[in-house]
Amino acid sequence: MDEQKRTIALTDDDENVRMSLERTIKKHFKDAQVLQFSNTVDIKKHLLNNPNQIDLLILDIHFGMGETGLDILPDIKKYSPALPVILLSAMEKTYGQAVTEKAGDYIIDFMSKPVTETELIIKITKALNSKDANAEQLKRLHSENTLLSEMLSSEDEQGAGRLFENEVQTKILSMKKVFLGEPHEPKENIVVNGQEIDTIAFTAPPLPFSIMVFETKYFPNAKVYGNVNEPMRVSVNGVEKVSTKRRNLFEQSENQFKQVSKRMEKILKDAGYAKSEEIYRPFIQSFVVFTDSTDISEINASNANKYTKICKLKDLTPDFIIKTAFAMPKRQVDETVKKIVLEKLF
């Protein structure tokens, strides 16, 4: 059997049962350390003081008087959340329903007394392997989360998120013939569902609209997939890096669009522009920009807001912006409107 050193705890009020189980365990797991406890109080105290020492707990249910093994399962979970527990009982008919209700949340297996040697070793091996797999998964997730945080940190000047923000801003600033002056940097960030608007820029005449750009801070060489009605997911080398609970990118963009549009409407109304002069109002176009190495081929954007476009940074070119502009209703943006909005929107 596996020669890796293990610590297996046996909790039973019958010393003969504990000794029999220990002999069988040491026969097959020669390097295993076996700890014996005769009551629930002692095992709880041990776990409270040594939450990570035990690799497997075999726990009897009935102790004659006082609390049962079932009663202390919540305490065990609190003290040692990753500890696999196998319940043991000679009273399956009495406790069967209660045991079933605990399965999955508190225990990983159950054995009826008397336990055969074969059943005992199979279930112990299965439990230990499960603990190893869970530990490895937790280690991998911790490593990935650490890497994700480091790469996507918008506060870290060396982080991928910050570097990509700078790339987007530099690209926009380079298109002087497309934009009216420099992109306007918001005095206050607008945050919707955790996503910020990074750039708002008014296009130079005759392009009749403004552009709202926000980038997605995903891993380079990643694959993003999903559709407009589901949260976006991202994976690297087949391993998912971002929770599927992340909000939909296009929903975020649409919410931003509505929020900025409402603020523009109020600003222009306060400035004396009547509804009949709506043709002069600036038009908001949203771009969701991905890193050039991100695979976005499996994003289904067929139902995206018509004012939202997805692209890679390399595609954010004057030609792309101009074609997008003329696909929209043609409007002439009054210079005064541009000035009012730039000064007061944020």
Side-chain angles (χ1 to χ4, degrees), residues 198-262:
D198 293 299
T199 303
I200 286 190
F202 283 88
T203 51
L207 303 182
F209 68 107
S210 57
I211 292 179
M212 176 172 64
V213 175
F214 68 102
E215 89 287 351
T216 54
K217 301 183 179 81
Y218 287 136
F219 277 116
N221 304 311
K223 185 170 188 176
V224 184
Y225 50 102
N227 62 53
V228 295
N229 297 317
E230 297 176 356
M232 296 291 103
R233 292 178 291 170
V234 58
S235 66
V236 179
N237 298 323
V239 178
E240 191 166 301
K241 300 290 184 182
V242 177
S243 170
T244 57
K245 294 180 181 179
R246 178 174 286 247
R247 294 296 295 270
N248 182 298
L249 292 173
F250 299 105
E251 182 181 354
Q252 292 174 5
S253 181
E254 184 172 4
N255 286 341
Q256 291 175 330
F257 176 89
K258 291 177 180 177
Q259 184 169 332
V260 175
S261 293
K262 282 184 178 180

Side-chain angles (χ1 to χ4, degrees), residues 147-155 159-162 217-219 242 246:
L147 183 60
L148 180 66
S149 297
E150 290 174 354
M151 291 191 69
L152 306 189
S153 171
S154 61
E155 301 301 324
R162 174 62 69 186
K217 301 183 179 81
Y218 287 136
F219 277 116
V242 177
R246 178 174 286 247

Side-chain angles (χ1 to χ4, degrees), residues 131-148:
K131 186 175 188 296
D132 289 343
N134 289 338
E136 184 62 31
Q137 183 180 27
L138 286 174
K139 181 179 178 182
R140 177 175 60 79
L141 289 174
H142 177 73
S143 175
E144 289 178 358
N145 287 338
T146 300
L147 183 60
L148 180 66

Side-chain angles (χ1 to χ4, degrees), residues 52-294:
N52 301 314
Q53 181 188 14
I54 298 174
D55 295 298
L56 172 64
L57 172 61
I58 298 177
L59 176 66
D60 192 21
I61 294 180
H62 187 66
F63 287 84
M65 296 180 62
E67 59 190 358
T68 68
L70 290 169
D71 293 332
I72 69 169
L73 285 174
D75 291 323
I76 294 172
K77 189 74 171 179
K78 180 171 67 174
Y79 302 149
S80 302
L83 176 63
V85 178
I86 298 178
L87 280 180
L88 180 68
S89 180
M91 307 171 68
E92 184 174 354
K93 290 184 178 180
T94 303
Y95 295 108
Q97 180 62 37
V99 170
T100 301
E101 292 173 355
K102 301 293 184 183
D105 293 330
Y106 295 104
I107 67 172
I108 66 168
D109 219 326
F110 174 81
M111 295 186 292
S112 294
K113 297 178 184 177
V115 182
T116 67
E117 181 174 330
T118 301
E119 180 184 16
L120 178 65
I121 299 308
I122 288 176
K123 294 201 171 184
I124 288 178
T125 302
K126 179 181 176 183
L128 293 176
N129 287 342
S130 173
K131 186 175 188 296
D132 289 343
N134 289 338
E136 184 62 31
Q137 183 180 27
L138 286 174
K139 181 179 178 182
R140 177 175 60 79
L141 289 174
H142 177 73
S143 175
E144 289 178 358
N145 287 338
T146 300
L147 183 60
L148 180 66
S149 297
E150 290 174 354
M151 291 191 69
L152 306 189
S153 171
S154 61
E155 301 301 324
D156 182 1
E157 290 297 331
Q158 301 304 315
R162 174 62 69 186
L163 292 174
F164 188 44
E165 284 180 7
N166 292 340
E167 283 189 77
V168 173
Q169 186 76 355
T170 299
K171 188 69 173 287
I172 297 294
L173 287 171
S174 70
M175 293 188 277
K176 299 186 182 300
K177 292 184 178 180
V178 175
F179 293 105
L180 181 67
E182 295 186 353
H184 176 65
E185 296 186 9
K187 297 174 185 175
E188 298 176 11
N189 288 334
I190 293 180
V191 181
V192 180
N193 295 332
Q195 187 66 268
E196 293 185 2
I197 296 174
D198 293 299
T199 303
I200 286 190
F202 283 88
T203 51
L207 303 182
F209 68 107
S210 57
I211 292 179
M212 176 172 64
V213 175
F214 68 102
E215 89 287 351
T216 54
K217 301 183 179 81
Y218 287 136
F219 277 116
N221 304 311
K223 185 170 188 176
V224 184
Y225 50 102
N227 62 53
V228 295
N229 297 317
E230 297 176 356
M232 296 291 103
R233 292 178 291 170
V234 58
S235 66
V236 179
N237 298 323
V239 178
E240 191 166 301
K241 300 290 184 182
V242 177
S243 170
T244 57
K245 294 180 181 179
R246 178 174 286 247
R247 294 296 295 270
N248 182 298
L249 292 173
F250 299 105
E251 182 181 354
Q252 292 174 5
S253 181
E254 184 172 4
N255 286 341
Q256 291 175 330
F257 176 89
K258 291 177 180 177
Q259 184 169 332
V260 175
S261 293
K262 282 184 178 180
R263 294 177 72 169
M264 279 190 171
E265 184 177 344
K266 184 178 186 305
I267 288 169
L268 294 173
K269 182 178 180 181
D270 292 344
Y273 277 84
K275 199 169 184 179
S276 60
E277 297 176 287
E278 185 175 356
I279 188 173
Y280 297 110
R281 292 174 56 191
F283 186 84
I284 299 285
Q285 171 69 50
S286 303
F287 289 93
V288 183
V289 187
F290 292 85
T291 62
D292 290 338
S293 59
T294 300

Side-chain angles (χ1 to χ4, degrees), residues 1-6 24-33:
M1 300 299 273
D2 189 355
E3 295 298 323
Q4 183 180 347
K5 190 168 184 64
R6 307 288 192 174
T24 303
I25 291 171
K26 287 192 171 181
K27 175 182 174 182
H28 294 271
F29 298 88
K30 299 187 185 302
D31 283 349
Q33 177 184 11

